């Protein structure tokens, strides 16, 4: 799942706002999408790290 195209963002904003979105509104919407994707990537990485720790052999010192 990749980030949506700018045209898709514009179409969503037009539908939500009922008018042509400003450049600032488009940037804010795109920034929010990026933040959500980064948060999902971080969550996935943390879960995979926890799972790897759980199933990796522990070294004995």
């Amino acid at each position: 799942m990749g980030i949506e195209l700018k045209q898709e963002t514009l179409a969503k904003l037009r539908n939500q706002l009922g008018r042509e979105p400003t450049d600032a509104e488009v940037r804010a919407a795109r920034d929010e999408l990026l933040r959500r994707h980064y948060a999902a990537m971080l969550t996935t990485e943390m879960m995979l790290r926890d799972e790897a720790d759980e199933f990796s052999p522990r070294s004995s010192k």
Side-chain angles (χ1 to χ4, degrees):
M1 175 172 109
I3 193 160
E4 68 187 26
L5 299 173
K6 187 174 182 179
Q7 292 82 5
E8 293 171 312
T9 304
L10 283 169
K12 283 183 182 180
L13 287 173
R14 284 185 193 117
N15 196 26
Q16 289 174 356
L17 300 171
R19 61 174 169 77
E20 195 65 29
T22 65
D23 288 340
E25 289 169 329
V26 174
R27 275 193 305 277
R30 305 278 300 155
D31 288 347
E32 177 63 24
L33 287 172
L34 284 172
R35 280 192 295 278
R36 288 176 186 251
H37 280 279
Y38 284 137
M41 289 182 344
L42 176 62
T43 302
T44 301
E45 196 240 325
M46 291 170 61
M47 291 170 58
L48 290 172
R49 187 182 310 150
D50 288 347
E51 186 175 303
D53 290 344
E54 182 179 329
F55 292 106
S56 66
R58 300 186 187 250
S59 60
S60 57
K61 288 187 173 183

